[in-house]
Amino acid sequence: MVGSENGFRWIALPGGLALFIVPVLVHFVIPQSARWQLRRGRTEAAIETVNQFIRRCGNRVPPLTVDDLGPNLAETRERLPRFSALFAPGQFRWTAVGILTAMSAGTAYYMIAILLPKALIDQGALVGMSFGITTIVFLSTIPGKAFNAVLMERIGRRWTIAYSLSGAFPGLVLMATAHLAGTYAPMMMTIGAVVLGFTALSSFTATRVYLSEQFPTALRGRGNVFGEAFGRIFAGVLAPFLIEPHTGDAFVFFGTITVVVMCGAFIPLLFGKETVGQLEMVTEPGHAQLVPEPAE
């Protein structure tokens, strides 16, 4: 599409078509939340949703029944906590850890997605090669995300995040120094792109789950939305804006990404805790008390 005045339109076409395809897939393929079904009195539908997950995971646990839910199905729904609970004593640390971890992974992603083609061209690569390298990076995320999905259930969320973000270091070094390698530059850039895509850009399998699990169940919906939105303001807007003037300098561009991913790799290890579904089960005593919204 290079050289075509309609090239940008062809590139944008798949995204436009997704507006008509994705909602249909979501409605007919993805099952409704069991929690949402229960809150509306649809007990059988909720149980079927859970049992569908159990079957897809190999029937490792017995199917759910109505009796398993206990006698409290008719209880009044609890009010959601206030947004201020995200920053309450006992919760603020986990909110910060989740956002900073997601922000680090997101910054690496957006700098590659938005600026990598421009950076390579500014550093002397041909237009075709720059888009080819970008394609390799994102193709590598297909097996990379699947690998991280398996890994985080084997060694935990934190160590998977540490591996996936710090594992990008060799690839970033190869890409930053490729222009010094003469005829070996394309090979070094290609290998670096594969490593970067398989590691840092595949970290979202773990980082998104880890962000969500920084919040107790009652606060999870608001916390996850706030964390994603706040993180993307920096990762997708501010960071590319600040780095764009320096894309022609390979050491500054790839060096910045290196610093970001290394910070993201060690924040969960140094300041976070391992989480598996329920933060209430792993946080220290004195966890933030969630204050419900006042009655209308």
Side-chain angles (χ1 to χ4, degrees):
M1 299 178 186
V2 178
S4 171
E5 63 179 14
N6 292 316
F8 73 96
R9 294 187 174 91
W10 289 109
I11 292 175
L13 181 60
L17 294 177
L19 294 175
F20 301 96
I21 298 173
V22 172
V24 176
L25 293 176
V26 170
H27 180 76
F28 289 103
V29 177
I30 299 179
Q32 185 56 266
S33 164
R35 185 185 298 273
W36 186 89
Q37 299 279 20
L38 282 177
R39 285 177 173 175
R40 283 152 181 80
R42 304 173 186 175
T43 306
E44 293 297 333
I47 291 175
E48 175 55 30
T49 296
V50 174
N51 288 336
Q52 186 177 353
F53 293 145
I54 293 174
R55 290 193 296 270
R56 289 180 177 179
C57 294
N59 293 308
R60 298 181 181 182
V61 297
L64 183 68
T65 66
V66 176
D67 293 337
D68 294 330
L69 297 178
N72 300 320
L73 291 179
E75 286 186 353
T76 304
R77 174 185 173 184
E78 296 181 1
R79 291 186 176 273
L80 293 175
R82 300 177 179 180
F83 270 103
S84 59
L86 292 171
F87 315 103
Q91 175 58 46
F92 177 75
R93 172 183 173 182
W94 313 115
T95 300
V97 166
I99 290 176
L100 290 174
T101 303
M103 186 185 297
S104 299
T107 299
Y109 173 85
Y110 281 110
M111 286 182 64
I112 296 299
I114 296 173
L115 295 180
L116 181 60
K118 180 181 185 301
L120 295 179
I121 294 172
D122 290 346
Q123 295 166 25
L126 298 175
V127 174
M129 178 184 176
S130 70
F131 280 101
I133 293 298
T134 304
T135 300
I136 291 172
V137 168
F138 285 99
L139 283 176
S140 300
T141 64
I142 298 174
K145 289 182 178 180
F147 178 73
N148 283 334
V150 174
L151 195 63
M152 73 176 186
E153 299 298 337
R154 301 291 180 86
I155 66 174
R157 276 74 155 134
R158 293 191 307 152
W159 285 105
T160 300
I161 293 170
Y163 144 75
S164 60
L165 293 179
S166 64
F169 180 73
L172 290 167
V173 171
L174 287 173
M175 297 179 80
T177 58
H179 65 286
L180 304 175
T183 57
Y184 292 99
M187 180 181 67
M188 291 179 62
M189 188 64 71
T190 300
I191 295 174
V194 171
V195 173
L196 180 61
F198 191 82
T199 55
L201 267 69
S202 299
S203 63
F204 293 101
T205 308
T207 56
R208 282 203 171 113
V209 171
Y210 192 65
L211 170 63
S212 177
E213 291 178 350
Q214 296 309 301
F215 307 101
T217 303
L219 194 59
R220 185 157 297 168
R222 295 184 171 191
N224 194 65
V225 171
F226 176 82
E228 285 271 358
F230 187 88
R232 290 192 184 197
I233 291 175
F234 180 87
V237 180
L238 185 59
F241 174 77
L242 294 175
I243 298 301
E244 187 276 332
H246 308 287
T247 52
D249 189 320
F251 291 105
V252 172
F253 179 73
F254 292 108
T256 300
I257 299 175
T258 301
V259 172
V260 167
V261 296
M262 296 306 288
C263 289
F266 289 102
I267 285 173
L269 292 180
L270 296 176
F271 305 106
K273 286 191 176 182
E274 191 57 65
T275 59
V276 184
Q278 298 287 345
L279 181 66
E280 294 93 329
M281 298 174 63
V282 299
T283 189
E284 72 261 24
H287 182 79
Q289 182 169 354
L290 304 180
V291 182
E293 293 280 12
E296 295 181 357

